[in-house]
Amino acid sequence: MTPLEADSTAQWTKQIQDALAGNSGMREGLRDDEALPLVNWGAEQAETIAQRLAEADAPAPDAEQIDMAGYTLGRLLTRITWVVTYRTKKDAAWLTRTFAKINALSQELFGPDAPTLSDEEIAAWIADQPNRTNGELVNDLIARLTPGRAAPPEETLDEAPDEAPPELDAPPAGEADADAGWHRRLWRALLDEPPAEPPIDSPPTQGQDDV
């Protein structure tokens, strides 16, 4: 990667992360310790998406396209939260449709070879979810949906249910303060109380199919 590409990647990463910072739906219904792995994973994937854009055989994206990437990543994170927090309130058909949307958003962000859940994996997840905590399910899903990383086997999750995904690599000298400041801003935004009115991108009410 050239110095120019590296500068662009850092700028785009920050822009995508800034878009996530305003998305309180990512943590609605999760405790702080359950939401934190998802927040860290979102920050990690913002950099992955920026690198993919920098390496694409296409003209450099404009600010609107970068903002759209941040919006799409926020939708993916929110739907991961939905299937975890609404698993006991919605039926299997709703969960299956939401997982289909998760797969579509993953491919939109990471390409046609992006990690997705098969029909069999979705059915097994729905059948097994009563036996797992929110934190276990969040960690399981982000592991399955991380590009280039295989999902941990079920026995690994059983042996270490509280293990969180790997932390982000330490930033180079000079970038630590900026990264720490972004994490503080994002976590402060996520700790705000959810709005009284449901957000625009909220789960559908009973009988509606759009997810």
Side-chain angles (χ1 to χ4, degrees):
M1 182 180 294
T2 68
L4 181 60
E5 288 175 333
D7 288 345
S8 296
T9 299
Q11 178 183 347
W12 296 340
T13 297
K14 182 180 183 301
Q15 190 172 340
I16 294 170
Q17 290 172 340
D18 285 345
L20 293 180
N23 187 340
S24 63
M26 289 165 43
R27 48 80 63 178
E28 189 172 356
L30 295 175
R31 297 195 316 263
D32 293 350
D33 61 318
E34 296 166 346
L36 183 57
L38 192 63
V39 172
N40 287 336
W41 187 77
E44 194 175 57
Q45 300 321 306
E47 184 173 6
T48 299
I49 293 165
Q51 289 175 345
R52 182 170 179 264
L53 291 171
E55 296 166 0
D57 295 329
D62 57 26
E64 184 176 351
Q65 290 171 310
I66 297 297
D67 284 340
M68 180 55 67
Y71 171 71
T72 303
L73 179 57
R75 293 180 72 200
L76 174 61
L77 297 172
T78 299
R79 278 158 180 76
I80 291 173
T81 298
W82 285 1
V83 294
V84 171
T85 59
Y86 284 86
R87 59 195 167 97
T88 61
K89 303 173 185 177
K90 300 288 186 177
D91 59 19
W94 184 89
L95 288 168
T96 300
R97 291 196 301 271
T98 306
F99 271 116
K101 190 63 178 181
I102 287 173
N103 286 344
L105 291 168
S106 178
Q107 291 179 318
E108 184 176 344
L109 289 166
F110 305 118
D113 295 328
T116 58
L117 277 72
S118 68
D119 292 344
E120 292 76 13
E121 289 173 316
I122 292 170
W125 188 97
I126 293 172
D128 191 47
Q129 56 84 14
N131 303 318
R132 296 188 178 276
T133 66
N134 285 355
E136 290 172 338
L137 292 171
V138 168
N139 287 333
D140 179 34
L141 288 174
I142 61 180
R144 291 173 184 266
L145 294 168
T146 299
R149 184 188 302 167
E154 291 297 317
E155 56 268 27
T156 300
L157 290 175
D158 289 337
E159 292 169 2
D162 296 326
E163 184 178 354
E167 294 293 331
L168 295 176
D169 293 337
E175 294 182 11
D177 291 343
D179 283 355
W182 176 83
H183 272 87
R184 283 194 298 270
R185 284 189 295 112
L186 177 55
W187 192 240
R188 189 161 54 246
L190 295 181
L191 288 177
D192 289 341
E193 287 298 320
E197 295 296 326
I200 294 175
D201 200 21
S202 60
T205 57
Q206 192 69 30
Q208 293 179 310
D209 292 335
D210 183 23
V211 294

